[in-house]
Amino acid sequence: GYKNRNCEKFTRPWRHLEGGLIMVTGTLLTLGGVWVTHLYEARHQHVNFLAMAHLKASPVVEAFQNTRNFEIESLGLFFESSEEVKADEFRSYTSYLNRASKGLVWGWLPLVTPESRQDFVHHARQEVGADFDLWEHDAGGQPIPAPERPRHFPLLYLEPTGPAGGLDIGPGFDLASLDFFSRAFPAAAEKKLPFASDPIFLGHAVEAPPLVLIFRPVYTSNNQRHLDGFVMGLLEPQKFIQSALNTYFTPNPLIHMELVELQEDAPPVRLAATFATNPPPLKRPPPVDQSKRWILPILTFGRTYAVVATPSPEFFHQQIFYAGWLVLLGG
């Protein structure tokens, strides 16, 4: 009896120690396993997002490179290698370019001096119409005759015809009347480099898509130092980015794409987005998680653009974390 009482005295405080240690150890191992599994799943989700974002952004970058290196460059070389380009020749050449890229309107801006203005207008009326003349917009947006200036760059050809992306310009419109063009073209002509305008917003409506004008200087074939004019591309970013994506993919709701212009000491300017409300059927909500984003810069036309990819709500719904729950349940 004495022995049993002594054993009970010494073992009673420690009789649950072994079970408690097993429970604590198992809990710690389970929580550690859940944490490691969660990290693995998060890493796997991030890798999936990066792969999908890169896959979808690449066609947009390629479309910009094609426009810069092949399309507007070939149009400029077409003028430099021709004595004179007629309206039907311009229409035929640009119709091929429009089959390759959507969201672009092409134009030709010959250099006209005050001395050559009268002869140019007379010749252009025989080519594009009897009412052709040089004009611009006044402060109220109404068309007025273009006043004399050291250099005119009137729009002679425009394809496809009609309002260019809603921009009220047409044959005879003097691009030299635009401040950004008059500031940019001397340096562009000297460096023989293409350049782009600031985003042009039509009206104040939220759904109004911005436009971008791109220019490439053209020189006479016998003298590379003599500027002959500019070929122009009017870029509608919303149509442009959607055309690039649809070339390779069907609409994918898992990744939201934005095309922005990065500006120094200013917020980025959004040019296009796959979740924009215009045009349909791209009506999607803005990204829900702005912290997870992937940015691919595009350096072209003297500007810094970027494709910004963010995961959509559908992406997170399909990337469900379940392995950690299985580990927790097993533990």
Side-chain angles (χ1 to χ4, degrees), residues 254-270:
L254 300 182
I255 301 294
H256 285 315
M257 305 287 291
E258 291 180 272
L259 177 64
V260 301
E261 181 179 348
L262 304 179
Q263 299 180 337
E264 187 177 0
D265 300 327
V269 178
R270 193 175 83 178

Side-chain angles (χ1 to χ4, degrees), residues 43-181:
R43 176 64 179 172
H44 183 69
Q45 181 193 70
H46 184 65
V47 170
N48 285 346
F49 165 68
L50 291 181
M52 295 180 65
H54 188 273
L55 192 64
K56 290 195 67 177
S58 295
V60 179
V61 178
E62 183 180 346
F64 266 98
Q65 292 174 341
N66 288 339
T67 300
R68 164 64 175 84
N69 298 331
F70 300 107
E71 295 172 4
I72 199 168
E73 181 67 18
S74 67
L75 184 59
L77 292 174
F78 176 62
F79 275 88
E80 290 179 346
S81 61
S82 304
E83 290 293 331
E84 183 180 5
V85 177
K86 299 290 186 179
D88 56 344
E89 295 174 327
F90 180 82
R91 187 179 305 110
S92 176
Y93 194 90
T94 53
S95 64
Y96 168 76
L97 297 180
N98 287 329
R99 287 197 300 267
S101 292
K102 303 297 182 184
L104 278 164
V105 178
W106 303 101
W108 163 236
L109 316 171
L111 169 62
V112 178
T113 62
E115 296 76 19
S116 64
R117 176 172 177 169
Q118 184 175 357
D119 291 339
F120 169 77
V121 170
H122 176 74
H123 180 76
R125 286 175 176 174
Q126 299 176 358
E127 184 71 15
V128 299
D131 58 346
F132 180 89
D133 206 347
L134 274 62
W135 61 280
E136 61 183 59
H137 291 126
D138 63 11
Q142 299 300 316
I144 59 173
E148 185 175 305
R149 49 177 52 97
R151 291 182 180 182
H152 299 276
F153 290 94
L155 182 60
L156 182 59
Y157 302 142
L158 183 69
E159 288 294 333
T161 57
L167 189 63
D168 186 17
I169 62 175
F173 179 77
D174 189 4
L175 271 292
S177 64
L178 302 179
D179 289 338
F180 80 86
F181 185 85

